[in-house]
Amino acid sequence: MKKIILINLLALALFSRVFTVYAFEIDPINQNNSSLISPAYANIRSCYADLTIHNNTATSSVKVKNSTSKPISIKMTLQKKSNGKWTDVKTWNKSGTEIVELSKSYNVTSGKKYRLKYIVTSGDDVCSGTTAEKTA
């Protein structure tokens, strides 16, 4: 009887690991860790945004892949934090179909905090957000 109980416990422990779900984040643009949230959309297959700052140059990137032939529209805005409030510094737009990538660089002020605000639309789908703030 003890052997049967031991075998059942061992089997339960072994099979409970089969259904464990692990989550991790990968930034497909730069292949490094970054914030990534991928809700389900009818048209947008994936939507990624990234902001890097190096030597007082901010590089803003948004990449979108569509699962349909609907047009894609990207609007991204580099913002600077001044007196506790975010103000727009520079805005870029791009449109296309299937795969659209918008990447722009801009000279920034050393010691200031920046983030990227983005809005992507395709049909009725809207993917929007802001990146984490980065210091120049």
Side-chain angles (χ1 to χ4, degrees), residues 2-106:
K2 289 182 181 181
K3 285 184 180 179
I4 293 172
I5 292 172
L6 182 61
I7 290 171
N8 285 335
L9 286 175
L10 183 60
L12 179 64
L14 188 63
F15 289 117
S16 68
R17 299 293 295 167
V18 172
F19 300 105
T20 303
V21 177
Y22 296 96
F24 60 94
E25 52 189 36
I26 297 175
D27 175 5
I29 293 173
N30 293 317
Q31 300 298 313
N32 61 13
N33 289 336
S34 178
S35 296
L36 172 65
I37 299 174
S38 296
Y41 296 110
N43 301 306
I44 298 173
R45 180 180 302 157
S46 59
C47 173
Y48 308 105
D50 189 42
L51 173 66
T52 59
I53 298 178
H54 183 68
N55 292 335
N56 293 336
T57 299
T59 302
S60 306
S61 301
V62 175
K63 183 174 183 179
V64 184
K65 292 182 182 180
N66 240 10
S67 55
T68 67
S69 59
K70 298 248 186 213
I72 301 168
S73 174
I74 299 173
K75 177 182 180 181
M76 67 179 190
T77 302
L78 181 65
Q79 296 182 315
K80 178 171 69 171
K81 196 171 197 178
S82 298
N83 299 321
K85 294 185 179 183
W86 291 100
T87 58
D88 294 352
V89 175
K90 182 71 177 170
T91 298
W92 299 277
N93 296 284
K94 188 171 183 180
S95 298
T97 57
E98 294 182 32
I99 299 173
V100 180
E101 186 169 2
L102 177 56
S103 184
K104 296 290 183 179
S105 294
Y106 190 83

